[in-house]
Structures are given as C-alpha cells and as structure tokens.
Amino acid sequence: MSTLSDLVYAQGRTTADDVEWLHRLAGDGQLLADLAFADIVLWVPTPDDSFIAVAHTRPSGAATLFYRDIVGDRVRPQWTTQVREAYGTGRIIDSASPDWFEETPTRVRAVPVVRSISGQAPQTLGVLTRHTNLGETRTPSRQQITFNDCADDLFGMVASGEFPDMSAPTSPRRGAPRASDGLVRLDVDGVTTFASPNALSAFNRLGFVDELEGESLVEVVTRILPNKRQFDESLPVVVTGRAPWRADMEARGVTVSLRTIPLRDHGTRVGAILLCRDVTEIRHQEQELITKDATIREIHHRVKNNLQTVASLLRIQARRSHSEEAREALTHAMRRVAAIAVVHDTLSEGLAQNVDFDDVFARVLKLVAEVAAAPNTRARTRSSGRFGTLPSEYATPLALALTELVTNAVEHGLAGQEGDVEIVADRDEERLEVRVRDTGSGLPEGQVGNGLGTQIVRTLIQGELSGTIDWHTLTGSGTEVTIEIPLRYIAKD
C-alpha cells in the first residue's frame, strides 16, 4: 500500500512542509478517532477536482463504519459536496441529515485542514472527515461527552491552523499515552475539570489518593513529588498545560507518561488536554534492554582486547623465531587474529549488532601494510565501491577472507616487484560481489593455490557465507579473485 507521502506527492500540489503537516495530523488520527468515537479520514485534493483518502483511523472504543481500509480511494459521491465545500470555504461543514452508509445511519463532519504559515495567509491542504456511527447511539456518559467536547476543540484548531503544533516533539517514546489510557481536562488556570477513571487510577498509583477534579494539577504533582531531587525538566511545562510537550513522572516505583495538548480558540489558550499512561513495565523493559546492550558492548570490547593481546604475543613469538617458516606462519596467524579484533572493536562502539563494513575493511587494509612493505615488494592497495552494513556473524568471516586474499596478492602475486592490489565491492538488492585483483604475474599455468590461506578462504566464503569464489588467472596479467554472496544471508541496508 502506498504511504501518505506517496499519495500526497502524486497529486502534484504539495510541498515537503505541507506533507510534514499532514503527517503530523495523521499521526494524531488515533487520538481524534478515540475522542470522537468515530472513523477519521484525511483527504487531499486531486488534479481533476476530486479528493483521495491518504489516511484512515478507526476508533478503539466504538464500532467502525469501514470494514476495509479506504486509503487510496476517491471520495464517495455522497460526501463530495460536503468535502468540497469545507475545502473551498475553510469552514467546518456538518451533514444536514443522517447519511446512510451500507445500511448504517451515520453523521459526517467535514473539517478543513489548514496550515498556518507565519507571515503568510493560511493555506488549506485538505479535509478531515469524521464518520459517526448512529446505529449504536445510547445515552452518552460524562466521559463520552467530555471526550466529544475535546474532539470538537481539536477539530476547531485543525480548521484554524492551530493543530497539529509543529513545535511538539516527534517520535514519542514507546508507550506514548492514548485517550483510553487516561485523560485529564484542564482549564486555562491548570485546574482539573475532568479526570477519566484510568487517569485517576494512574495518579492513585503515584500516591495521590484524593479526587483530581477541582485540584490544580501543579499542586497535585508537587504533593506527589515533594522530596524528589530530580525530575523530568519538561514536567512543569506539561502539567500546567501551556506547551505541547511530553514528560515522565516517577514516584513510589511507578512511572506515568504524560502528554499535554494545549487547547486554543483562534490564538487564545482556553485550557488543555492531558493524556496519561502507566508505563512502569515498559520503562523497566527499556532499562533492561539498555543494560543488555551495554553488557554486549563490554563483551565485544573485552574480546577485542583479548584478541589484540593474542596478536601481540604471536608477533613477539614470530620475532624470536629462528625458523623463517615458523616466523611466516606466526605472522599470518597474528594478522588473522587482528582482523577479527577489528570487527569486535567496531561492534563495541555502538548499540547495533550490525557493522559498517566499509569502515571495517578500511581498517583491515591497514593490517596488510606490513606485508606491502616487505623487502623488494612495493604494493599499492586501494578499494572502491560499497560493502554496506553487515551483521557481525558475517562481517567476521568476510573480513578474515579478504585479509587472506589481499595478503596472498601482495606476497605471491607481487612478490619482489611493484604493482597494485585493488578491491572492488559491488552490492545490489540480490547479492554482494567483491573482486580482489592484482597486477602481478599470476599463478603458474593458471593453477589455484592449495595452501592454508586458500583453504581458509574457501571455508569462510563457501561454508560460512554460502557464497561462491572463483580465481581468474592469466599469466603475465595478474590474478582476479571474485567472491559472490547472496544477500539473503546478510543484512540489507
């Protein structure tokens, strides 16, 4: 299904700022639907003077009118006149009589979506329609009446360009409060005029045992947190209802997430809606994840240190060896251990268990500099293309395999001469291909080596990465080794 941005941009009339405004409004679609006990649909105009639905939200506390999502559908004939009038006049238009939708009586309200631009005339971006199911009409409770009043206030702010508030924070933390979790209505002085049962329960768990209604919420919070030295810096702004912000309040081992939506009438603040939710368990889970991430990073850091220690011991042993063959074997082992340490070092620096392999390989190339500087050999190494992001379980064998290939290219392909070693990475949606080529003399008679390094490369690429490896050798023209790994075995960017 197309995203809101795709649908809006397809109409060719909207800027990036307009799309952001519509995204913000659609993000609060669930709030509007729950407060209005109705389906909420967001429409934008099309080039042929019609309208197309770009967002649809069903109420969580009432029956929906739409069995199927109508995003991407054009406005139905029975709503066209109403939607068009709201868009053209910039006024809220209510249906004159009940509208029948699939044998269900409904009431439709069309609200112009106005974007307020500083220093410029307001701009109408689309229309929000509220579809209320009249088939389940019953005597409304005080909570339902208050919720509907809050919805009407927000619809009025949508029509005047005062909602959504672009200064409000985006990407709320997990567990953001919803209307059904708890709602407090504040007047202009911050005094509670209504508190839903769930809201009252949340404050009771924090230690407030009296009634919220008639109380100044600031004074309530002060009583709950009298001796607390540290608290969320946004909390005073949130509980006064003066700014569209979010905060967490903690007391007695309970954490309640708060969100305030100031209510305005053509620029004049008339009160606020405070949403609250007990997120104690969610915050505990988040803290456990943070602790686990820190532990994993520490493990990678210690593994890296241990591997570097092993590499140092191998280097010392190699220098003290009297046998040239033993010295070479120890040097290769040292380099292999150091290549693995690079991957763990990268993993210890971040939260994700994926690594930017381009950064890893740039560091791995430095490990072969010692080989490149061998007597009578002048090798220039360079890389091009992009590897992208890989999970650690694949980054380690690939780094080790490439270390072996580059080392072999320098030691054997360019032995005693000057030349180039080039590593080319090519990644698309289906596979990662890496070519390592040198300008040396090539393998004798085009034969592939059968030494330890070649065996290690085959085991890593074919056994651990389920990939393929191919040696192309032309005498006098150098050697090219091609590795291909299917992307289903590695992380996509």
Side-chain angles (χ1 to χ4, degrees):
M1 180 179 293
S2 299
T3 64
L4 183 149
S5 298
D6 294 335
L7 290 169
V8 174
Y9 279 127
Q11 311 315 314
R13 297 183 180 181
T14 312
T15 66
D17 290 338
D18 294 338
V19 172
E20 176 62 23
W21 188 280
L22 294 171
H23 262 296
R24 290 285 191 106
L25 182 58
D28 275 320
Q30 192 63 60
L31 172 64
L32 294 172
D34 291 345
L35 291 177
F37 298 94
D39 286 86
I40 301 296
V41 183
L42 177 59
W43 308 88
V44 296
T46 62
D48 58 356
D49 200 29
S50 182
F51 290 85
I52 187 172
V54 296
H56 172 210
T57 309
R58 297 178 174 87
S60 58
T64 181
L65 285 170
F66 305 102
Y67 178 73
R68 290 183 174 82
D69 201 344
I70 63 173
V71 171
D73 293 353
R74 287 178 175 266
V75 64
R76 306 205 175 188
Q78 63 264 43
W79 309 324
T80 300
T81 301
Q82 190 177 349
V83 169
R84 188 172 293 157
E85 183 178 355
Y87 181 78
T89 64
R91 294 184 293 107
I92 296 177
I93 306 297
D94 289 311
S95 54
S97 59
D99 173 64
W100 288 85
F101 179 80
E102 296 184 355
E103 301 182 355
T104 301
T106 67
R107 180 182 295 112
V108 180
R109 166 171 288 188
V111 181
V113 177
V114 178
R115 179 188 168 207
S116 179
I117 306 174
S118 179
Q120 301 180 32
Q123 178 183 357
T124 303
L125 303 180
V127 176
L128 203 68
T129 53
R130 162 182 165 173
H131 303 261
T132 305
N133 187 341
L134 300 179
E136 299 185 352
T137 302
R138 59 183 183 272
T139 302
S141 65
R142 182 165 175 253
Q143 174 170 312
Q144 186 171 353
I145 292 173
T146 303
F147 275 32
N148 276 318
D149 289 342
C150 292
D152 290 341
D153 290 334
L154 291 178
F155 287 135
M157 292 170 61
V158 170
S160 62
E162 297 173 296
F163 187 81
D165 194 318
M166 300 303 286
S167 65
T170 58
S171 302
R173 294 179 65 183
R174 193 163 63 99
R178 301 157 298 187
S180 58
D181 296 319
L183 181 143
V184 177
R185 176 74 183 249
L186 303 175
D187 65 15
V188 70
D189 296 318
V191 176
T192 302
T193 60
F194 172 84
S196 71
N198 285 343
L200 187 58
S201 296
F203 277 86
N204 288 162
R205 286 190 285 271
L206 288 169
F208 182 76
V209 296
D210 297 325
E211 292 294 329
L212 277 175
E213 292 186 23
E215 296 280 354
S216 168
L217 195 59
V218 173
E219 295 178 3
V220 169
V221 172
T222 302
R223 275 182 268 172
I224 293 175
L225 312 172
N227 301 316
K228 197 169 182 65
R229 296 181 180 179
Q230 295 182 347
F231 55 85
D232 194 320
E233 295 179 356
S234 303
L235 189 58
V237 177
V238 170
V239 297
T240 57
R242 296 180 179 275
W245 217 253
R246 297 182 175 92
D248 280 357
M249 184 167 59
E250 300 179 18
R252 301 175 62 184
V254 175
T255 303
V256 173
S257 179
L258 306 174
R259 178 194 176 187
T260 294
I261 304 172
L263 299 176
R264 298 184 178 87
D265 184 4
H266 294 87
T268 301
R269 192 170 63 85
V270 296
I273 298 171
L274 180 78
L275 305 177
C276 54
R277 179 181 182 182
D278 186 343
V279 293
T280 306
E281 186 61 31
I282 293 176
R283 295 296 181 258
H284 284 168
Q285 292 174 357
E286 290 176 347
Q287 188 59 47
E288 289 178 359
L289 288 174
I290 291 173
T291 301
K292 289 179 180 178
D293 285 336
T295 301
I296 291 173
R297 290 201 308 272
E298 178 62 22
I299 290 173
H300 283 304
H301 180 70
R302 294 187 181 185
V303 170
K304 181 263 297 184
N305 288 343
N306 291 338
L307 290 172
Q308 288 181 336
T309 300
V310 173
S312 297
L313 293 175
L314 291 171
R315 182 184 293 108
I316 294 173
Q317 189 65 41
R319 290 175 178 174
R320 295 191 175 187
S321 176
H322 298 290
S323 167
E324 184 63 30
E325 182 178 355
R327 184 183 301 110
E328 182 179 353
L330 290 170
T331 300
H332 283 310
M334 177 273 296
R335 193 175 300 109
R336 291 160 186 155
V337 172
I340 299 174
V342 168
V343 177
H344 284 278
D345 187 29
T346 304
L347 288 169
S348 69
E349 296 173 355
L351 294 175
Q353 290 301 296
N354 296 330
V355 297
D356 181 354
F357 197 78
D358 294 287
D359 176 60
V360 170
F361 187 64
R363 298 165 66 179
V364 167
L365 267 182
K366 295 179 181 179
L367 296 175
V368 300
E370 299 175 11
V371 177
N376 302 321
T377 300
R378 295 186 58 188
R380 296 177 293 272
T381 59
R382 65 177 183 271
S383 62
S384 60
R386 182 173 176 272
F387 290 93
T389 302
L390 301 177
S392 59
E393 59 266 31
Y394 296 107
T396 298
L398 183 59
L400 189 55
L402 291 178
T403 299
E404 292 296 326
L405 292 175
V406 174
T407 301
N408 287 341
V410 174
E411 282 190 335
H412 304 295
L414 300 176
Q417 57 182 296
E418 179 178 350
D420 299 318
V421 177
E422 183 179 13
I423 304 91
V424 181
D426 183 18
R427 180 172 182 166
D428 58 26
E429 294 183 354
E430 298 181 354
R431 57 97 176 98
L432 170 66
E433 182 184 87
V434 185
R435 297 190 303 276
V436 180
R437 53 190 178 223
D438 63 70
T439 58
S441 56
L443 295 174
E445 300 179 0
Q447 298 177 358
V448 177
N450 56 6
L452 178 60
T454 302
Q455 295 177 17
I456 289 175
V457 172
R458 287 189 183 278
T459 300
L460 294 172
I461 299 301
Q462 297 176 344
E464 296 196 27
L465 297 178
S466 299
T468 61
I469 183 168
D470 187 24
W471 278 264
H472 303 279
T473 306
L474 295 174
T475 304
S477 301
T479 303
E480 180 179 84
V481 183
T482 302
I483 295 173
E484 187 169 311
I485 304 171
L487 274 181
R488 65 179 180 272
Y489 292 103
I490 62 178
K492 295 183 180 180
D493 287 347

